Amino acid sequence: MQSSQRLYRAPYVCTSCAQRIATVAPRLTRSYTLSRSRPRRNVIEHGSHLLPTVALPIPTPTRSSYLSRNAYSTTASTKPLRLAVIGSGPAGFYTAHRLIKKVPDAVVDMYEQLPVPYGLVRFGVAPDHPEVKNCEDTFEEVAESPRFNYIGNVRIGHDIKLVDMKPHYDAILFSYGASEDRPLGIPGEDRLGVFSAREFVGWYNGLPEFQNLQPDLQTGDQAVIIGQGNVALDVARILLTPVDVLRKTDITGHALEALSRNKIKSVKVVGRRGPLQVRLPRTM
């Protein structure tokens, strides 16, 4: 079956009724015509219901083949596939790119709670790694398609209820990522000066939610990072990179100003495993 074809249940009879009609088929009296005249509407009496049907020209007018053939229909739909994508990060954009490229006439509506798109590509990648952001070229190609719509500054579940969206889409894709921190459950993690990586990365990348974070980078000369993944190394590198080097990146102005007064000279990275188990850097 082609991707543009969809499975539709015949509008005049449900599955249970089709089975019941099949059992009483020998008692049904139906007329078929092979002429090109306008189809005649008939009525099948089933219990207390009257089921309207249409007598269509059928090459082999047998009751069993007619009932089985019309229980489901595989005719091509004239209505284009419409997809709602919640979240405008890489996962959402790559899905939209694939769908628009492979499915003719498919329409994608992308919803984002922020005014601007690109998710982690914009707010998660370290500013001194611009090569990782090259995927934005593909995202811009998607955004230029007339079959793509971006709806920013809208929170699904608050501004628009999910139940109100469902009747308007064939499918809804959730690609909003991790929107909350996962506490470690250790003593002291709620103390002043302790931040999650999501908060700190969002701060130096300009995420509006954390623009007023104001981390204290002047009281001490040592920082400790729990975790040894890509984000942990990004944070360590930002803390130790000379401010003159950071000025050549797209780091936000308020973060650059705070880092210009940075007194951190040493960063300790704490992990559960050794350096041989560190994951290799990923590429987008």
Side-chain angles (χ1 to χ4, degrees):
M1 186 188 303
Q2 299 295 326
S3 58
S4 60
Q5 293 181 332
R6 303 185 204 165
L7 193 64
Y8 288 91
R9 193 179 299 281
Y12 54 84
V13 61
C14 63
T15 305
S16 59
C17 290
Q19 295 174 349
R20 295 179 182 179
I21 292 173
T23 59
V24 298
R27 299 199 302 269
L28 299 178
T29 302
R30 308 183 62 176
S31 62
Y32 301 90
T33 176
L34 298 178
S35 65
R36 296 184 179 179
S37 59
R38 184 176 180 180
R40 296 180 291 105
R41 296 188 62 83
N42 300 320
V43 173
I44 297 177
E45 185 174 356
H46 172 54
S48 60
H49 303 283
L50 296 179
L51 304 177
T53 63
V54 178
L56 298 175
I58 301 176
T60 307
T62 61
R63 295 186 181 93
S64 59
S65 63
Y66 180 81
L67 290 173
S68 61
R69 190 177 71 88
N70 285 273
Y72 292 93
S73 175
T74 57
T75 57
S77 172
T78 58
K79 179 183 176 182
L81 175 68
R82 198 170 191 99
L83 172 70
V85 178
I86 301 176
S88 63
F93 263 100
Y94 278 123
T95 300
H97 177 262
R98 188 74 173 179
L99 188 69
I100 291 176
K101 184 178 180 180
K102 295 296 184 180
V103 181
D105 301 327
V107 179
V108 178
D109 294 339
M110 180 173 288
Y111 295 84
E112 170 60 52
Q113 67 175 353
L114 297 174
V116 294
Y118 301 163
L120 287 178
V121 176
R122 182 187 295 267
F123 298 112
V125 176
D128 59 342
H129 278 184
E131 71 281 355
V132 183
K133 301 183 181 183
N134 291 336
C135 58
E136 290 184 2
D137 296 337
T138 301
F139 301 166
E140 291 177 2
E141 178 184 345
V142 175
E144 291 174 355
S145 172
R147 294 185 282 129
F148 176 85
N149 302 296
Y150 176 78
I151 303 101
N153 206 27
V154 173
R155 297 181 63 189
I156 303 301
H158 296 269
D159 301 317
I160 301 177
K161 294 182 179 180
L162 184 62
V163 67
D164 294 332
M165 294 177 57
K166 290 176 64 177
H168 303 283
Y169 294 99
D170 298 290
I172 299 178
L173 172 69
F174 297 91
S175 62
Y176 52 81
S179 58
E180 296 181 357
D181 299 321
R182 186 175 65 179
L184 294 176
I186 59 178
E189 66 176 318
D190 56 346
R191 296 182 61 182
L192 185 65
V194 178
F195 307 100
S196 69
R198 189 177 70 94
E199 293 173 324
F200 194 78
V201 171
W203 169 73
Y204 65 65
N205 275 333
L207 190 62
E209 182 181 357
F210 305 118
Q211 62 180 349
N212 298 320
L213 191 66
Q214 298 180 349
D216 184 3
L217 303 177
Q218 303 178 53
T219 301
D221 61 355
Q222 183 171 281
V224 177
I225 301 175
I226 300 178
Q228 56 189 27
N230 296 318
V231 177
L233 298 182
D234 287 345
V235 172
R237 195 173 60 254
I238 292 298
L239 289 173
L240 297 176
T241 300
V243 68
D244 291 336
V245 176
L246 292 177
R247 284 195 178 99
K248 301 177 183 179
T249 69
D250 61 353
I251 192 171
T252 57
H254 66 266
L256 186 63
E257 181 181 355
L259 289 168
S260 65
R261 302 187 299 271
N262 180 22
K263 303 298 182 181
I264 301 296
K265 302 299 181 182
S266 173
V267 176
K268 296 185 181 297
V269 178
V270 180
R272 291 178 296 178
R273 293 170 290 184
L276 294 179
Q277 287 76 40
V278 174
R279 295 181 59 183
L280 295 176
R282 62 179 180 271
T283 57
M284 289 188 178

